Amino acid sequence: MAVSGIQEVDNLLDAAGGPITSTSSKPAIGAVQDLLRGHGFGKMPSVGASTYGMFGKATKAALLVFCKLHCPGSVIKDQVDQVNKSTLEALLAVEPTNAIASQVYVSRRLDLPFTRYNRLSCLVAIGEGQGAFGALCLNTDKAGLSVGLIQWAQYPGRLNELLKAIPKDRITAAFGTEALANKVLAHTALAGASPQVNGGVKKADGKPVDPAMDLTKNDWLGGFRRLCLDPEVQKRQVTHAAAGFESRKGKFDNAVAGAKSERLVAYLLDLVNQFESPAPGFLKKAVDQGGLPATLKERDAILIDRVTGFANAKLRAIGETIKDGHQKWSEAFILKVQKSRSDRGKFFKEWEGLADTAF
């Protein structure tokens, strides 16, 4: 079994380590909160929140509910003030209802080493679907269905890319029959037909080429939910995202040579997940403005701000233009998506878990 790299967690599971308590490290307590969030306790904070890694009342209350159901021996006088080995094992062993791609889940349940690109794919997932393997977006902008960690989207054909990386028998099991699995694979692979489509969605009006294959409706969503509950599919989501990000990092290196901090790389990969084509150009434009300090930490903080500005300008331009027959965005929606991009820039710029040394 892969180690998590969180010392208190690994010691508790593999050695004679003590329980996780309110005096434990922020990563150890945060690992417990991540697992609780995967078990349906939606009020648990995610990485970057001010209460992440704090063993407070909300965390204790969630643990009490979980332990009463799965490890009652951990409950003393109707309280749970610590996480012992049996409790942590139960948090990992019980099938989650909304599995979160956290460091401890990926390593200790999926048995994947938390390599740097696996790690960054999980961080990018926080901004996409709150880090949930089963996040589904029905895309009200008529771009079809988006699925999973980094929201593989139907419209640009990336959903088919993910499905092709998953063993066929897993897709069959999720949708019930091989015939239905074949239909999903074939529909999401459609591209360049007349009228032009991407991923089975018409460019002209954003509707499915075949109305019966509207993946945002009916039993199709249930199939995708079942697919994303499969641990093997969860593993493929992480490794496929990581491989994609590693190759995309090369595009940023081609655009701008030289060292980049882990912090900047993480943000750029989050950005390229939203802006596949223009993102490397944003970085080059930010560097070409000049006036950058010599130290990597100070330079990359400024670059994150500049790139965020270019991205927000692009979002406004998209929102104000009728593109491929899609509706214009309202002013309120434009401001909402711009704020989301700014918030994500702030997270990657400030989060203490990212290094400011060369990646």
Side-chain angles (χ1 to χ4, degrees):
M1 181 61 64
V3 297
S4 73
I6 302 173
Q7 187 172 7
E8 288 162 280
V9 169
D10 294 328
N11 286 346
L12 181 55
L13 292 170
D14 300 330
I20 296 172
T21 69
S22 59
T23 61
S24 296
S25 69
K26 184 174 179 179
I29 297 170
V32 172
Q33 292 171 326
D34 291 331
L35 293 173
L36 285 168
R37 195 154 60 91
H39 286 294
F41 297 95
K43 292 185 178 180
M44 288 295 97
S46 63
V47 172
S50 60
T51 54
Y52 185 79
M54 294 177 62
F55 206 134
K57 290 181 180 179
T59 302
K60 291 178 181 178
L63 274 171
L64 178 61
V65 174
F66 179 86
C67 289
K68 282 183 174 180
L69 287 172
H70 303 292
C71 43
S74 299
V75 180
I76 300 173
K77 295 182 179 180
D78 211 36
Q79 291 185 355
V80 178
D81 293 322
Q82 62 180 26
V83 177
N84 56 30
K85 183 175 183 178
S86 63
T87 303
L88 186 54
E89 287 175 337
L91 283 166
L92 285 163
V94 174
E95 184 173 343
T97 57
N98 186 37
I100 302 299
S102 66
Q103 183 169 348
V104 67
Y105 185 89
V106 167
S107 57
R108 303 297 311 209
R109 184 174 169 96
L110 299 185
D111 196 21
L112 285 176
F114 212 59
T115 58
R116 61 182 185 173
Y117 280 104
N118 283 352
R119 176 171 178 260
L120 294 186
S121 67
C122 293
L123 280 176
V124 170
I126 295 171
E128 289 296 321
Q130 296 299 307
F133 285 101
L136 301 180
C137 177
L138 277 57
N139 285 355
T140 54
D141 60 355
K142 301 180 181 180
L145 181 68
S146 292
V147 175
L149 277 188
I150 61 169
Q151 293 289 279
W152 283 274
Q154 186 179 344
Y155 182 76
R158 294 184 68 202
L159 177 54
N160 183 257
E161 168 198 312
L162 173 65
L163 291 172
K164 288 192 296 185
I166 296 171
K168 175 74 172 297
D169 64 320
R170 305 289 178 160
I171 302 174
T172 298
F175 288 95
T177 68
E178 186 174 3
L180 288 176
N182 287 336
K183 287 183 74 172
V184 170
L185 285 164
H187 180 71
T188 56
L190 290 175
S194 182
Q196 286 194 336
V197 299
N198 267 42
V201 176
K202 296 180 186 177
K203 287 185 176 181
D205 57 13
K207 295 179 179 179
V209 179
D210 179 356
M213 293 299 297
D214 188 341
L215 301 183
T216 69
K217 295 180 179 178
N218 305 322
D219 293 338
W220 296 116
L221 289 173
F224 278 104
R225 290 190 181 99
R226 288 188 292 273
L227 186 68
C228 292
L229 284 173
D230 185 336
E232 180 59 32
V233 173
Q234 293 170 1
K235 291 174 72 170
R236 297 302 174 101
Q237 285 199 47
V238 174
T239 56
H240 188 64
F245 282 157
E246 186 167 6
S247 68
R248 286 170 174 84
K249 198 260 186 182
K251 294 182 179 180
F252 290 106
D253 288 338
N254 289 336
V256 174
K260 298 171 185 65
S261 67
E262 181 188 48
R263 185 176 305 282
L264 178 61
V265 170
Y267 179 62
L268 293 175
L269 293 179
D270 176 73
L271 186 76
V272 78
N273 202 50
Q274 184 176 32
F275 296 103
E276 176 69 31
S277 299
F282 292 163
L283 175 63
K284 186 176 187 307
K285 186 176 176 181
V287 171
D288 288 347
Q289 280 190 345
L292 294 168
T295 65
L296 200 61
K297 179 178 180 179
E298 294 175 340
R299 185 203 71 170
D300 286 1
I302 292 173
L303 288 177
I304 288 174
D305 286 341
R306 289 181 180 179
V307 168
T308 299
F310 299 142
N312 275 336
K314 179 69 173 179
L315 285 168
R316 175 163 289 280
I318 292 171
E320 292 178 345
T321 303
I322 295 179
K323 184 172 178 162
D324 295 331
H326 292 185
Q327 277 188 317
K328 288 183 179 180
W329 294 349
S330 68
E331 179 64 20
F333 188 73
I334 291 174
L335 293 175
K336 179 181 178 181
V337 295
Q338 287 182 320
K339 182 180 186 303
S340 175
R341 173 47 53 196
S342 296
D343 287 345
R344 286 160 76 161
K346 186 174 186 294
F347 166 72
F348 283 98
K349 182 180 174 182
E350 298 179 357
W351 187 53
E352 61 191 20
L354 288 167
D356 292 302
T357 52
F359 182 77

